[in-house]
Amino acid sequence: MTTVYIISAPSGSGKSTLVEKVRQIVPGLDFSISYTTRPPRGNEQNGREYFFITREQFEEMIRKDEFLEYAEVFGNYYGTAKDVLAKARENGHDLLLDIDVQGAAQIKGKLPDAVSVFILPPDRKTLESRLRTRSLDAEKVIQNRLATASREIENYMKYDYILVNDRLDESVETLKAVLLGERLKSSGRQLSVADKDLLARAEHCRLGNVRGRLQPILASFVATATPGGR
Ligand code: ADP
Ligand code: 5GP
């Protein structure tokens, strides 16, 4: 049975970096390439990071009911095509969706068994510096993304797992543990010591187990949030 994994994060948290790495180490995992109306960034290529289409083309796809979910983010449309889920099911693969909080809510509504992961930066300052290090966006875009991050973060409690992306190698191991842990649980097989370690790592970032650790992170955003947002 196909498990759908949803990954959301404020822009700049390191989600793409993490997703890229776990895709290389977790077998049988399809990645959904979204459609978007935003222009390519850096060396992004059509059909690799996204399918880049016009607003007219996107609206035509909406009319034809071709999206599993879609949302407007930062003034552009982003959407997941229905056919990626059909293909993953056909191949007996799991499916990873990198989508925003609005899209995540739509998927949870349609597929309640989907497993969701919210990635957080260690604090707001680190998020800002990562957005600048990436330096693919103009200053106005960076400020917009920081303001949006403060609001997106308020949705963390709607997710099953919360992963604080501090040290990259640790975060890759934890995300891998969440994905493989869900498979282990549904496999019904006898657990080895290594399996139990993996499950413990995943459990550590379950929503109910992280609340205390999140307080300083959330506070760093509240203290500096721009009133009124965008
Ligand atoms: P997102 O997909 O969430 O917008 P990216 O994956 O593009 O974010 O990461 C933003 C920047 O932060 C990139 O320059 C990336 O190399 C860097 N980065 C990602 N994870 C970490 C980490 N754990 N520690 C330090 N830098 C990181
Ligand atoms: P970026 O422009 O940085 O690639 O992505 C901006 C935001 O859009 C991110 O939060 C990303 O997760 C989200 N996003 C990317 N693809 C989709 C999609 O298909 N649907 C939705 N709802 N959000 C998406």
Side-chain angles (χ1 to χ4, degrees):
M1 205 193 69
T2 295
T3 301
V4 173
Y5 299 100
I6 302 166
I7 309 225
S8 303
S11 180
S13 305
K15 180 182 51 179
S16 315
T17 310
L18 278 171
V19 165
E20 183 58 36
K21 290 198 181 285
V22 295
R23 280 176 68 190
Q24 290 168 19
I25 49 182
V26 176
L29 185 66
D30 285 2
F31 177 72
S32 163
I33 300 172
S34 297
Y35 287 78
T36 184
T37 59
R38 90 147 159 75
R41 193 164 59 200
N43 65 355
E44 287 179 338
Q45 280 172 28
N46 189 39
R48 193 178 65 185
E49 285 80 7
Y50 285 104
F51 293 110
F52 296 98
I53 61 174
T54 63
R55 254 189 123 74
E56 290 70 32
Q57 288 170 317
F58 200 101
E59 283 166 356
E60 179 65 14
M61 287 181 74
I62 297 174
R63 269 194 298 278
K64 290 186 176 159
D65 196 25
E66 290 180 14
F67 288 115
L68 189 59
E69 64 74 35
Y70 71 92
E72 197 151 358
V73 190
F74 305 122
N76 286 299
Y77 280 128
Y78 292 80
T80 307
K82 282 182 178 169
D83 63 4
V84 292
L85 179 58
K87 246 182 227 145
R89 283 179 171 153
E90 229 173 81
N91 296 334
H93 288 173
D94 292 331
L95 180 65
L96 187 61
L97 308 179
D98 165 351
I99 59 178
D100 85 320
V101 293
Q102 308 168 72
Q106 293 174 43
I107 296 289
K108 274 282 194 181
K110 287 183 183 169
L111 306 168
D113 291 336
V115 176
S116 57
V117 184
F118 196 75
I119 296 168
L120 280 172
D123 53 51
R124 187 187 187 276
K125 245 184 144 165
T126 309
L127 180 67
E128 182 165 0
S129 101
R130 284 187 191 162
L131 282 167
R132 288 191 198 289
T133 314
R134 189 169 68 181
S135 82
L136 295 167
D137 298 308
E139 182 58 27
K140 210 176 116 210
V141 173
I142 290 177
Q143 290 305 329
N144 185 5
R145 289 185 175 221
L146 279 170
T148 306
S150 302
R151 278 179 280 124
E152 282 176 331
I153 279 173
E154 290 166 12
N155 292 285
Y156 77 90
M157 75 293 282
K158 297 176 185 159
Y159 288 73
D160 301 314
Y161 295 92
I162 313 292
L163 198 167
V164 180
N165 179 22
D166 194 348
R167 279 192 42 203
L168 187 59
D169 50 352
E170 284 286 320
S171 302
V172 172
E173 283 306 306
T174 304
L175 186 53
K176 187 179 94 178
V178 168
L179 305 185
L180 295 179
E182 287 294 328
R183 282 187 187 170
L184 266 181
K185 282 189 273 182
S186 53
S187 73
R189 81 167 198 230
Q190 179 126 28
L191 300 180
S192 67
V193 173
D195 292 341
K196 286 180 188 161
D197 285 351
L198 187 124
L199 285 175
R201 186 184 263 274
E203 266 320 288
H204 191 64
C205 64
R206 259 210 180 270
L207 178 62
N209 298 330
V210 291
R211 287 186 195 272
R213 280 177 277 146
L214 293 186
Q215 286 322 310
I217 302 175
L218 301 175
S220 77
F221 280 88
V222 171
T224 48
T226 321
R230 296 220 152 210

